[in-house]
Amino acid sequence: MLSSAHVVPTSVRRAPSWICSSSRSFMDLKALLSSLNDFASLSFAESWDNVGLLVEPSPPHTVNTLFLTNDLTEEVMEEALQKKADLILSYHPPIFRPMKHITWKTWKERLVIRALENRVAIYSPHTAYDAAPQGVNSWLAKGLGTCTTRPIHPSKAPNYPTEGTHRLEFSANHSQDLDKVMSAVKGVGGVSVTSFPARCDGEEQTRVSLNCTQKALMQVLAFLSQDRQLYQKTEILSLEKPLLLHTGMGRLCTLDESVSLATMIERIKRHLKLPHLRLALGVGRTLGCSGSESDSEMSHHDVLDAASKGINVILCEHSNTERGFLSDLQEMLGVHLENKINIILSETDRDPLRVV
């Protein structure tokens, strides 16, 4: 029997936000990469860019914690390791130029070594996220106010709508051995053939249309050149990949209502959480005027050219126009991945440049 009771004071500590929830499940790395590509296809990236999986631990590799950063520095890597990251999504690719050796000599080589030693994968989307409909450029446009937008340089679909890169068409009359022609072109690899009746100059003919690769095109033309009549009636079209809606580099934004340059500056500062921007007033312009061009960085001479045309230029510096997007990305990926894994945002990632 207890004759007395003592209440012992206790303290409750809140777990850091990056501690993984026990309700989270793991995702296989390859399945996660497939989901990330569904979110924003790497085919959107510029041809010069180095995107996708840059560092891969030996398989199988499972991911519980996805760590988001704009730049992967050694300080950020240390944070990622402390927070038990399994995959680092670095917006900028830490590996861009080819590495000839992996030693402890340079900081980028050390990143690779530490990632592999700790079984951490590294993935970079870079310009694929710039071009995506829900990517960086669209996020930047949100900060300008209610507006309609379109890509300045629209992206093209990764594949042609039909097989092949070229379409070749010709007409054949009934006096020609059409069966022989059709049999010959169908025997060429990389060719799809359709035919339909046509009438030309009052004569019943058969119109033949072929979709083919560049290599197959040369083989088909070599065959058709044996029949001068067919060859002279041949038309060749170079097929284009279709443009993708709301996808591409840059955004041309048209505001629903005009605002002064001073108001636009304040909107951009608020959206990017920046105390300062760089401004070049166009010739004859003032802060009370409307209309401007916003960019992360422009060359000195490009700024002069724009200003001479009366265009106001607002420069926000490179990573300042990207880092804020990661908070939105964290939320979007959580929804896209159905909260299967823990997604955390770097707290040490920052722009290397300071205004002093």
Side-chain angles (χ1 to χ4, degrees):
M1 180 177 179
L2 293 176
S3 59
S4 63
H6 298 279
V7 177
V8 180
T10 59
S11 61
V12 177
R13 294 184 180 178
R14 178 175 295 179
S17 60
W18 51 266
I19 295 291
C20 299
S21 168
S22 59
S23 63
R24 307 282 184 187
S25 60
F26 291 86
M27 288 188 72
D28 176 73
L29 177 61
K30 293 190 182 301
L32 177 54
L33 293 177
S34 178
S35 293
L36 289 176
N37 197 65
D38 290 340
F39 175 76
S41 174
L42 294 177
S43 65
F44 297 159
E46 296 290 279
S47 59
W48 50 261
D49 207 355
N50 189 34
V51 295
L53 185 63
L54 305 183
V55 176
E56 179 183 11
S58 58
H61 184 64
T62 54
V63 178
N64 187 328
T65 298
L66 172 61
F67 182 90
L68 307 181
T69 184
N70 197 67
D71 292 304
L72 182 55
T73 62
E74 289 190 278
E75 183 182 11
V76 173
M77 172 62 82
E78 185 62 37
E79 179 193 5
L81 296 181
Q82 289 178 1
K83 295 178 178 179
K84 308 299 182 185
D86 305 295
L87 172 63
I88 297 173
L89 187 154
S90 177
Y91 171 78
H92 286 134
I95 303 173
F96 194 77
R97 295 180 178 88
M99 290 184 171
K100 294 185 177 181
H101 37 65
I102 305 295
T103 70
W104 205 248
K105 185 175 181 179
T106 68
W107 69 275
K108 289 191 174 183
E109 292 174 60
R110 291 193 292 271
L111 287 179
V112 175
I113 293 171
R114 296 204 71 193
L116 291 174
E117 285 180 342
N118 291 275
R119 292 192 58 76
V120 177
I122 300 175
Y123 175 91
S124 177
H126 201 200
T127 52
Y129 277 14
D130 288 343
Q134 74 283 31
V136 176
N137 283 311
S138 295
W139 171 78
L140 286 170
K142 289 180 184 178
L144 305 182
T146 307
C147 60
T148 56
T149 67
R150 65 176 177 83
I152 297 174
H153 301 289
S155 296
K156 292 183 178 181
N159 301 309
Y160 290 92
T162 59
E163 182 182 355
T165 58
H166 291 78
R167 176 170 296 164
L168 183 149
E169 295 186 350
F170 61 89
S171 296
N173 57 40
H174 296 297
S175 64
Q176 294 161 310
D177 192 347
L178 186 59
D179 290 339
K180 179 182 177 182
V181 173
M182 294 292 284
S183 177
V185 296
K186 286 180 179 180
V188 177
V191 173
S192 60
V193 186
T194 58
S195 62
F196 50 91
R199 191 174 183 84
C200 182
D201 298 329
E203 183 183 8
E204 294 292 336
Q205 296 184 340
T206 299
R207 188 71 174 171
V208 180
S209 177
L210 301 85
N211 285 348
C212 55
T213 62
Q214 177 74 37
K215 180 180 178 180
L217 174 66
M218 303 310 296
Q219 292 179 264
V220 172
L221 286 177
F223 170 76
L224 293 178
S225 64
Q226 299 173 22
D227 187 318
R228 184 176 180 182
Q229 191 174 4
L230 279 181
Y231 192 67
Q232 290 179 339
K233 294 180 181 180
T234 299
E235 298 176 351
I236 303 173
L237 303 174
S238 178
L239 301 179
E240 291 284 342
K241 296 176 181 178
L243 298 179
L244 298 175
L245 293 176
H246 315 301
T247 306
M249 295 301 167
R251 291 295 183 273
L252 181 63
C253 306
T254 304
L255 295 173
D256 289 0
E257 296 182 5
S258 297
V259 298
S260 68
L261 177 59
T263 298
M264 182 56 65
I265 289 172
E266 290 308 311
R267 286 182 180 179
I268 294 173
K269 283 182 176 179
R270 186 166 57 249
H271 188 59
L272 300 182
K273 297 180 174 62
L274 295 176
H276 305 286
L277 300 171
R278 289 199 291 166
L279 169 67
L281 279 173
V283 173
R285 298 282 186 168
T286 68
L287 287 175
C289 296
S290 61
S292 64
E293 176 178 318
S294 180
D295 207 334
S296 61
E297 47 194 357
M298 289 175 66
S299 75
H300 178 75
H301 294 287
D302 287 340
V303 172
L304 290 177
D305 288 342
S308 72
K309 299 173 185 176
I311 299 173
N312 301 313
V313 178
I314 300 171
L315 296 182
C316 312
E317 312 308 336
H318 189 103
S319 69
N320 290 334
T321 59
E322 304 157 340
R323 189 167 279 103
F325 166 71
L326 296 182
S327 295
D328 278 25
L329 177 65
Q330 181 182 28
E331 183 177 337
M332 289 188 291
L333 286 180
V335 174
H336 180 72
L337 299 174
E338 300 176 339
N339 295 313
K340 292 178 181 178
I341 60 174
N342 197 40
I343 303 175
I344 56 179
L345 195 59
S346 173
E347 297 176 7
T348 57
D349 174 45
R350 60 179 61 88
D351 194 288
L353 294 173
R354 291 284 182 270
V355 177
V356 297

